[in-house]
Amino acid sequence: MLGLIAALVVLLGGQDAAAPDKGPIRERSPAVAPRNPSDNQRLATEVAGIFHQVFPHWRLRCDDSDFVRQRIQFDVTVDREGRIVSGPTMVDPQDDAAWRATAESARRALIAAAPFDVPEGFAGGRYRPTFNAASACAAR
């Protein structure tokens, strides 16, 4: 379990924040602004937990070194009920067969995992989860 949590930290590190509808992805402001760092940590933990639900759906090919070396990001908007309402859209797609295959497997897993179980009071938002195949394989 700790291995999966560590993988999530790497997987989502700095990339799980929501943004307004315009402009680049940046850290989101929750419905009620956190009053202290522990509130920010709680929000980050909640978002990591939401995207952790993708792992059981991701068909990992850990014996394929081309697969394992890939790191894929998506822009995705999740509503307050855990439904994907926009995306997932690949960020910086690459013209490489291994990257495309890994990205497609992660995209399918993201879609299959929805609707996500979300904590009470979850506001939803725009997120950029990162799928790091090496970390996911290491956490198996």
Side-chain angles (χ1 to χ4, degrees):
M1 184 59 142
L2 289 177
L4 284 175
I5 293 170
L8 275 174
V9 170
V10 172
L11 189 80
L12 297 172
Q15 302 299 323
D16 60 341
D21 292 335
K22 297 178 182 174
I25 299 294
R26 61 181 188 261
E27 190 166 336
R28 80 176 181 104
S29 298
V32 176
R35 296 177 188 260
N36 62 52
S38 66
D39 289 340
N40 286 330
Q41 181 61 37
R42 181 191 50 76
L43 179 63
T45 300
E46 287 176 355
V47 171
I50 290 167
F51 287 108
H52 176 67
Q53 297 170 45
V54 175
F55 278 104
H57 301 277
W58 195 12
R59 297 183 67 158
L60 299 171
R61 296 190 324 269
C62 298
D63 57 337
D64 179 349
S65 63
D66 286 336
F67 179 90
V68 173
R69 69 180 167 84
Q70 303 303 323
R71 189 169 181 210
I72 314 297
Q73 291 183 321
F74 294 95
D75 284 334
V76 61
T77 303
V78 178
D79 71 10
R80 66 185 192 175
E81 295 176 1
R83 296 178 301 220
I84 294 175
V85 294
S86 179
T89 304
M90 294 174 201
V91 175
D92 297 326
Q94 298 177 19
D95 189 23
D96 173 74
W99 188 93
R100 286 192 313 270
T102 305
E104 181 59 20
S105 70
R107 187 188 71 79
R108 288 181 185 194
L110 192 54
I111 291 168
F116 300 103
D117 290 327
V118 296
E120 186 175 327
F122 178 70
R126 188 171 162 203
Y127 300 92
R128 183 172 280 178
T130 299
F131 292 82
N132 184 325
S135 294
C137 287
R140 275 176 118 183

